[in-house]
Amino acid sequence: MIRSAKKAFTLIELLVVIAIIAILAAILFPVFAQAKVAAKKAVMISNAKQMGVGVLMYMSDSDDVFCPSMWYMNDWGMRSFAVLCNPYMKNYGILMDPFTPATLASNPFILNSQWAMPTRRSASAWCPTDDNDVTGCAMGVYNPNARTQITGGQRWGRSGIGGAIIEPGAWMWSAQGYKTNAPSMNGTAVTRPADTMMITQANHCDLMWHQDWNPDEAYRYWGDAAFNLWGNNNMTAGPAGRIGSSGQEAGVYPTTISEPSVFPTGINTSVYVDGHAKAESWKGLHSRTVTNGSGTKYLQYASPEIP
């Protein structure tokens, strides 16, 4: 009886196939990762746009006045603009950052550590009352690295649109530095709606500007992992650049660093007063300025009253 020989791959053929699969995987996996980042970026833009519409709807019911960045209750409650405007958004899920592991169940303060409304310069007890005085409340004041790498040795002022409400008897660490019941801006007072930031990705809902922390500095909110997305770390004050980066490149620093030498290289998502949402690099956002009538420079996104 004659038996037919069984056909099989040789060892060399198997090794060639394995090598081809490994090469294809090495090529495709980065592509898949990029596609995943692009999809999450699209989600961020969509969510930001919805939040922006909610803030504008709030304004339409409030005589064209922006929502407060923060409302401090006398029961240790704290309501950010995102919570105050949620009746118009009707979805807390859009506040969540798809690039982090945090969930709505992590801690109620998670809602206050992902998006921010820039606060008015006049709302801070620390800011000079003279808008031409950029010895404080300005980028490049304290951090020599920022003056070298970003501002060219200058100090660039900054302001925002949001106010703060502090009820009688309310006390909270993050409320320190606010003037009592500082009003938000009226939308008609914004001279360049397409350039003026309304809400932005951030590490705290009011950017912590009222305590004179600036976009080139880092702060730690109560030092408790439950109160921020990144645990017990220092984080960039002002807008965050989280998309496509992590660690110091996203503005998240070890607790030993308060004056960063490495600034965020990631992408920031923001919504502007005219309602459009945009994603751009953190450094690009912080490279543009406008000059007031006295020759003082302000960050373009943070200068609502400069023509």
Side-chain angles (χ1 to χ4, degrees):
M1 183 176 179
I2 300 175
R3 294 182 179 178
S4 59
K6 293 182 178 179
K7 294 183 178 180
F9 290 111
T10 65
L11 178 60
I12 293 177
E13 288 173 331
L14 286 172
L15 291 175
V16 169
V17 170
I18 292 171
I20 292 172
I21 293 174
I23 292 171
L24 290 174
I27 294 172
L28 293 176
F29 284 170
V31 174
F32 294 152
Q34 292 173 7
K36 188 175 182 179
V37 169
K40 289 184 176 181
K41 182 177 176 182
V43 170
M44 291 288 289
I45 290 287
S46 176
N47 289 349
K49 181 69 174 178
Q50 291 183 65
M51 282 186 275
V53 170
V55 174
L56 293 173
M57 291 174 67
Y58 178 101
M59 289 178 63
S60 69
D61 286 344
S62 305
D63 296 326
D64 204 32
V65 175
F66 289 103
C67 179
S69 296
M70 291 294 296
W71 190 311
Y72 292 95
M73 312 293 183
N74 58 16
D75 60 355
W76 260 71
M78 183 171 70
R79 305 291 184 271
S80 71
F81 83 94
V83 175
L84 295 171
C85 290
N86 195 258
Y88 301 94
M89 303 176 193
K90 298 188 183 299
N91 183 0
Y92 282 118
I94 65 175
L95 301 174
M96 300 306 297
D97 186 338
F99 288 90
T100 71
T103 68
L104 285 172
S106 299
N107 188 285
F109 280 86
I110 284 295
L111 296 176
N112 292 333
S113 63
Q114 299 181 72
W115 295 88
M117 175 179 286
T119 52
R120 301 187 70 181
R121 181 185 177 91
S122 60
S124 172
W126 298 98
C127 291
T129 55
D130 181 359
D131 291 344
N132 296 312
D133 185 349
V134 289
T135 57
C137 299
M139 190 169 188
V141 173
Y142 304 110
N143 190 341
N145 300 302
R147 290 196 296 274
T148 300
Q149 300 176 36
I150 300 175
T151 68
Q154 299 177 329
R155 296 172 177 178
W156 295 344
R158 49 98 177 135
S159 187
I161 60 173
I165 304 299
I166 305 176
E167 293 183 355
W171 188 94
M172 205 172 238
W173 177 85
S174 62
Q176 306 308 301
Y178 273 127
K179 295 176 182 177
T180 302
N181 298 335
S184 296
M185 279 187 69
N186 190 293
T188 58
V190 178
T191 56
R192 292 172 294 100
D195 293 332
T196 300
M197 183 182 288
M198 183 165 64
I199 57 176
T200 185
Q201 275 184 288
N203 296 312
H204 195 265
C205 54
D206 55 8
L207 306 181
M208 298 302 287
W209 281 358
H210 60 294
Q211 295 187 328
D212 204 13
W213 276 307
N214 296 285
D216 57 352
E217 295 180 280
Y219 73 93
R220 183 166 36 144
Y221 181 46
W222 285 7
D224 190 327
F227 292 91
N228 61 66
L229 298 176
W230 304 102
N232 197 20
N233 289 295
N234 281 338
M235 297 167 289
T236 302
R242 293 197 290 257
I243 300 178
S245 295
S246 60
Q248 294 192 49
E249 287 72 24
V252 182
Y253 307 96
T255 55
T256 54
I257 296 178
S258 59
E259 294 184 356
S261 59
V262 176
F263 297 102
T265 57
I267 303 296
N268 167 266
T269 303
S270 297
V271 183
Y272 292 79
V273 172
D274 67 347
H276 84 277
K278 181 168 65 174
E280 63 177 319
S281 71
W282 187 94
K283 288 188 175 180
L285 178 67
H286 289 88
S287 66
R288 298 189 301 274
T289 61
V290 293
T291 304
N292 66 15
S294 301
T296 302
K297 287 187 176 181
Y298 269 66
L299 289 165
Q300 184 188 67
Y301 73 82
S303 52
E305 296 177 279
I306 297 178

CSV table of all heavy atoms in Angstrom, one decimal, residues 13 30 54 61-62 67 99 108 117 150 166 187 192 205 213-214 218 223 227 246 253 275 291 295-296:
chain,number,residue,atom,x,y,z
A,13,GLU,N,10.4,28.5,5.9
A,13,GLU,CA,9.2,29.1,5.4
A,13,GLU,C,8.4,29.7,6.6
A,13,GLU,O,7.8,30.8,6.6
A,13,GLU,CB,8.3,28.1,4.7
A,13,GLU,CG,8.9,27.8,3.3
A,13,GLU,CD,8.1,26.7,2.6
A,13,GLU,OE1,7.6,25.8,3.4
A,13,GLU,OE2,8.1,26.6,1.4
A,30,PRO,N,1.6,51.4,15.3
A,30,PRO,CA,1.6,52.8,15.5
A,30,PRO,C,0.5,53.5,14.7
A,30,PRO,O,0.0,54.6,15.2
A,30,PRO,CB,3.0,53.2,14.9
A,30,PRO,CG,3.8,52.0,15.0
A,30,PRO,CD,2.8,50.8,14.8
A,54,GLY,N,-23.7,75.2,25.6
A,54,GLY,CA,-24.4,75.3,26.9
A,54,GLY,C,-24.1,76.6,27.6
A,54,GLY,O,-25.0,77.2,28.2
A,61,ASP,N,-30.0,83.5,28.8
A,61,ASP,CA,-31.0,83.6,29.9
A,61,ASP,C,-30.5,84.4,31.0
A,61,ASP,O,-31.2,84.5,32.1
A,61,ASP,CB,-31.3,82.2,30.4
A,61,ASP,CG,-32.1,81.3,29.5
A,61,ASP,OD1,-32.7,81.9,28.6
A,61,ASP,OD2,-32.2,80.1,29.7
A,62,SER,N,-29.3,85.0,30.9
A,62,SER,CA,-28.7,85.8,32.0
A,62,SER,C,-28.3,87.2,31.5
A,62,SER,O,-27.2,87.7,31.9
A,62,SER,CB,-27.5,85.1,32.6
A,62,SER,OG,-27.8,83.8,33.0
A,67,CYS,N,-21.4,82.9,32.7
A,67,CYS,CA,-21.5,82.2,33.9
A,67,CYS,C,-20.3,82.4,34.8
A,67,CYS,O,-19.2,82.7,34.3
A,67,CYS,CB,-21.6,80.7,33.6
A,67,CYS,SG,-21.8,79.6,35.0
A,99,PHE,N,-8.7,60.9,27.4
A,99,PHE,CA,-7.3,60.6,27.5
A,99,PHE,C,-6.9,60.2,28.9
A,99,PHE,O,-5.7,59.9,29.1
A,99,PHE,CB,-6.4,61.7,27.0
A,99,PHE,CG,-6.5,61.9,25.5
A,99,PHE,CD1,-7.4,62.7,24.9
A,99,PHE,CD2,-5.6,61.2,24.6
A,99,PHE,CE1,-7.5,62.9,23.5
A,99,PHE,CE2,-5.7,61.4,23.3
A,99,PHE,CZ,-6.6,62.2,22.7
A,108,PRO,N,-16.5,63.5,43.0
A,108,PRO,CA,-17.3,64.6,42.5
A,108,PRO,C,-16.4,65.7,42.0
A,108,PRO,O,-16.7,66.4,41.0
A,108,PRO,CB,-18.2,65.1,43.6
A,108,PRO,CG,-18.3,63.8,44.5
A,108,PRO,CD,-17.0,63.1,44.3
A,117,MET,N,-13.0,77.9,32.9
A,117,MET,CA,-13.4,79.2,32.3
A,117,MET,C,-12.4,80.2,32.9
A,117,MET,O,-12.3,80.4,34.1
A,117,MET,CB,-14.8,79.6,32.7
A,117,MET,CG,-15.2,81.0,32.2
A,117,MET,SD,-16.9,81.4,32.6
A,117,MET,CE,-17.8,80.4,31.4
A,150,ILE,N,9.7,81.3,25.9
A,150,ILE,CA,8.4,81.6,25.4
A,150,ILE,C,8.2,83.1,25.2
A,150,ILE,O,7.8,83.5,24.1
A,150,ILE,CB,7.3,81.1,26.4
A,150,ILE,CG1,7.4,79.5,26.5
A,150,ILE,CG2,5.9,81.4,25.9
A,150,ILE,CD1,6.5,78.9,27.5
A,166,ILE,N,-19.1,84.1,46.0
A,166,ILE,CA,-18.8,83.5,47.3
A,166,ILE,C,-19.9,83.8,48.3
A,166,ILE,O,-20.1,85.0,48.7
A,166,ILE,CB,-17.4,84.0,47.9
A,166,ILE,CG1,-16.3,83.8,46.8
A,166,ILE,CG2,-17.1,83.3,49.2
A,166,ILE,CD1,-15.0,84.4,47.2
A,187,GLY,N,-21.1,89.7,27.6
A,187,GLY,CA,-20.6,89.3,26.3
A,187,GLY,C,-20.3,90.4,25.3
A,187,GLY,O,-19.4,90.3,24.5
A,192,ARG,N,-12.9,90.9,20.8
A,192,ARG,CA,-12.5,90.0,19.8
A,192,ARG,C,-13.0,88.6,20.1
A,192,ARG,O,-12.3,87.7,20.6
A,192,ARG,CB,-11.0,90.0,19.6
A,192,ARG,CG,-10.3,91.3,19.1
A,192,ARG,CD,-8.8,91.3,19.2
A,192,ARG,NE,-8.4,91.3,20.6
A,192,ARG,CZ,-7.9,90.2,21.2
A,192,ARG,NH1,-7.9,89.0,20.6
A,192,ARG,NH2,-7.6,90.2,22.5
A,205,CYS,N,-10.9,74.2,37.4
A,205,CYS,CA,-12.0,74.9,36.6
A,205,CYS,C,-11.9,76.4,36.5
A,205,CYS,O,-12.6,77.0,35.7
A,205,CYS,CB,-13.3,74.5,37.2
A,205,CYS,SG,-13.5,74.9,39.0
A,213,TRP,N,-1.2,82.2,40.1
A,213,TRP,CA,-0.5,81.2,39.4
A,213,TRP,C,-0.7,81.4,37.9
A,213,TRP,O,-1.8,81.8,37.5
A,213,TRP,CB,-1.0,79.8,39.8
A,213,TRP,CG,-0.3,79.3,41.0
A,213,TRP,CD1,1.0,79.2,41.2
A,213,TRP,CD2,-1.0,78.8,42.1
A,213,TRP,NE1,1.2,78.7,42.5
A,213,TRP,CE2,0.0,78.4,43.1
A,213,TRP,CE3,-2.3,78.6,42.5
A,213,TRP,CZ2,-0.2,77.8,44.3
A,213,TRP,CZ3,-2.6,78.0,43.7
A,213,TRP,CH2,-1.5,77.6,44.6
A,214,ASN,N,0.3,81.2,37.1
A,214,ASN,CA,0.2,81.6,35.7
A,214,ASN,C,0.5,80.4,34.8
A,214,ASN,O,0.9,79.4,35.3
A,214,ASN,CB,1.3,82.7,35.5
A,214,ASN,CG,0.9,84.0,36.3
A,214,ASN,OD1,0.0,84.7,35.9
A,214,ASN,ND2,1.6,84.2,37.4
A,218,ALA,N,3.4,75.8,38.0
A,218,ALA,CA,2.6,74.6,38.4
A,218,ALA,C,2.1,74.7,39.8
A,218,ALA,O,2.6,75.5,40.6
A,218,ALA,CB,3.6,73.4,38.3
A,223,GLY,N,-3.2,68.7,47.0
A,223,GLY,CA,-2.3,67.5,47.2
A,223,GLY,C,-3.0,66.2,47.3
A,223,GLY,O,-2.4,65.2,47.8
A,227,PHE,N,-8.7,64.9,43.9
A,227,PHE,CA,-9.2,66.2,43.5
A,227,PHE,C,-8.6,66.5,42.1
A,227,PHE,O,-8.8,67.7,41.7
A,227,PHE,CB,-8.8,67.2,44.5
A,227,PHE,CG,-9.6,67.1,45.8
A,227,PHE,CD1,-9.1,66.4,46.8
A,227,PHE,CD2,-10.8,67.7,45.9
A,227,PHE,CE1,-9.8,66.2,48.0
A,227,PHE,CE2,-11.5,67.6,47.1
A,227,PHE,CZ,-11.0,66.9,48.2
A,246,SER,N,2.0,63.1,27.6
A,246,SER,CA,1.8,62.6,29.0
A,246,SER,C,3.0,63.1,29.9
A,246,SER,O,4.0,63.7,29.3
A,246,SER,CB,1.8,61.1,29.1
A,246,SER,OG,3.0,60.5,28.6
A,253,TYR,N,3.8,67.6,36.5
A,253,TYR,CA,5.1,67.6,37.0
A,253,TYR,C,5.2,66.9,38.4
A,253,TYR,O,4.3,66.9,39.2
A,253,TYR,CB,5.6,69.0,37.2
A,253,TYR,CG,5.5,69.8,35.9
A,253,TYR,CD1,4.4,70.7,35.7
A,253,TYR,CD2,6.4,69.7,34.9
A,253,TYR,CE1,4.2,71.4,34.6
A,253,TYR,CE2,6.2,70.5,33.7
A,253,TYR,CZ,5.1,71.3,33.6
A,253,TYR,OH,4.9,72.0,32.4
A,275,GLY,N,-18.1,80.8,19.8
A,275,GLY,CA,-18.7,79.5,19.8
A,275,GLY,C,-17.9,78.5,19.0
A,275,GLY,O,-18.2,77.3,19.1
A,291,THR,N,-1.5,93.8,21.8
A,291,THR,CA,-0.9,95.0,22.5
A,291,THR,C,-2.0,96.0,22.8
A,291,THR,O,-2.8,96.4,21.8
A,291,THR,CB,0.2,95.6,21.8
A,291,THR,OG1,1.2,94.6,21.5
A,291,THR,CG2,0.9,96.8,22.6
A,295,GLY,N,0.8,100.0,25.0
A,295,GLY,CA,1.9,99.2,24.6
A,295,GLY,C,2.2,98.0,25.5
A,295,GLY,O,3.2,97.3,25.3
A,296,THR,N,1.3,97.6,26.4
A,296,THR,CA,1.4,96.4,27.2
A,296,THR,C,0.9,95.2,26.5
A,296,THR,O,-0.2,95.2,25.9
A,296,THR,CB,0.7,96.6,28.5
A,296,THR,OG1,1.1,97.8,29.2
A,296,THR,CG2,0.9,95.4,29.4
